[in-house]
Amino acid sequence: MSVTWFICVKIQNATIVDFVWTSLIGFLSLGYALFAPGFVPRKVLAVIMSSMWSLRLGLYIFSTRIKNGHEDPRYTKLHNKWGGRRSIKFFLFFQLQGICASIFALPVLIMSFETIGSMFLLEYIGLFVFLTGLIGESLADYQLYKFKQTVIDKTKTCRKGLWMYSRHPNYFFEWIVWIGFFITALSSSTGWITFICPALMLYLLVFVSGIPYAEARAIETKGADYRKYQAVTSAFIPWFIKKGDDENAVV
């Protein structure tokens, strides 16, 4: 993360930290599995889950935020807000993200040290929950991408597919992914510790860098149409639209 900070200072663009943070979890997980003495099939399962998550999100971040060469508006705002102290503050911010990456790699670490030579039912249940979240998140991202590619009026809000039932279905299913990791890790004696993963992810998504920023940005760019969307659509957990919505609820 220190190397990433140095690069970002040189290019004056902090967007790559999202890609590095995501990839770091995958690399940590691979390292744990390679060097820990646990049951090999369990380590393979853990690495496959972590790699699927890391690759999917990393490729999505690269294609939507990094490929165009523009800095993510979130980081541009931080640059302006922090002014002359932005370098040291970004350095500390990047270190915090490194700590978070270590926390989110905990399920693989714990599973990689579990030496019991058989798989548990909880591991298969956790895998099912994980895949449900990963597929749901991928579908939500794809639906939003297609909407942005086809919509002419950029002030219109996506109400396609999963976005009809939640204002942030991608965040909801991301949370489900980490519940899946937690359930899978519960098969290990210290797996309960990984409760911190879905708990921290929920906090980040709902109260820090997820919904608060996305909502503010949507109101800024879409205005009245998004406020109307807010009034009838669940913020996080997918649910039916509220009664009284007009014909614009489904586009």
Side-chain angles (χ1 to χ4, degrees):
M1 298 308 293
S2 297
V3 172
T4 303
W5 167 80
F6 181 78
I7 294 173
C8 289
V9 169
K10 290 297 183 181
I11 66 175
Q12 290 297 298
N13 187 332
T15 306
I16 63 171
V17 71
D18 293 334
F19 178 79
V20 173
W21 176 84
T22 303
S23 302
L24 180 58
I25 296 174
F27 282 116
L28 281 172
S29 299
L30 180 60
Y32 294 153
L34 284 174
F35 296 105
F39 184 50
V40 172
R42 180 173 292 110
K43 293 195 295 183
V44 170
L45 172 64
V47 168
I48 288 176
M49 290 172 63
S50 181
S51 298
M52 289 176 66
W53 175 86
S54 184
L55 282 172
R56 192 213 72 84
L57 186 56
L59 290 173
Y60 178 77
I61 289 173
F62 180 83
S63 63
T64 59
R65 302 180 192 175
I66 298 175
K67 191 176 180 180
N68 60 22
H70 302 303
E71 185 172 54
D72 190 298
R74 294 174 299 163
Y75 297 124
T76 301
K77 286 186 176 181
L78 289 179
H79 271 119
N80 297 332
K81 179 181 178 181
W82 288 340
R85 294 180 60 82
R86 60 179 175 267
S87 290
I88 184 62
K89 288 193 173 184
F90 266 110
F91 178 80
L92 296 175
F93 176 65
F94 283 18
Q95 303 314 306
L96 180 60
Q97 289 189 306
I99 293 172
C100 287
S102 299
I103 292 173
F104 286 119
L106 271 177
V108 180
L109 175 63
I110 288 174
M111 292 173 67
S112 295
F113 273 91
E114 179 56 68
T115 57
I116 295 177
S118 61
M119 301 294 286
F120 297 97
L121 178 61
L122 275 175
E123 290 170 323
Y124 296 111
I125 294 174
L127 176 62
F128 175 78
V129 174
F130 166 83
L131 291 174
T132 299
L134 195 70
I135 293 170
E137 185 177 19
S138 301
L139 179 60
D141 284 341
Y142 176 75
Q143 290 170 342
L144 181 60
Y145 170 78
K146 292 297 290 184
F147 174 80
K148 289 181 177 180
Q149 293 298 308
T150 57
V151 68
I152 298 176
D153 186 352
K154 300 303 181 181
T155 65
K156 291 296 183 182
T157 304
C158 178
R159 295 175 173 88
K160 296 280 188 179
L162 294 171
W163 298 86
M164 186 192 307
Y165 306 103
S166 169
R167 302 201 299 271
H168 304 282
N170 51 342
Y171 292 159
F172 171 76
F173 284 107
E174 173 70 9
W175 180 55
I176 296 298
V177 163
W178 290 98
I179 291 178
F181 272 115
F182 166 62
I183 294 173
T184 305
L186 275 178
S187 61
S188 301
S189 57
T190 55
W192 61 270
I193 297 173
T194 63
F195 174 76
I196 192 175
C197 295
L200 178 59
M201 182 57 70
L202 183 65
Y203 174 73
L204 293 174
L205 291 175
V206 176
F207 299 107
V208 184
S209 59
I211 291 178
Y213 170 77
E215 297 272 288
R217 180 71 176 167
I219 291 174
E220 180 183 325
T221 57
K222 303 181 187 301
D225 187 66
Y226 194 79
R227 291 187 183 278
K228 189 175 187 179
Y229 180 57
Q230 282 181 310
V232 299
T233 309
S234 171
F236 187 63
I237 300 174
W239 197 247
F240 299 102
I241 61 173
K242 295 179 181 178
K243 292 182 179 180
D245 188 28
D246 64 11
E247 68 276 6
N248 288 323
V250 181
V251 179

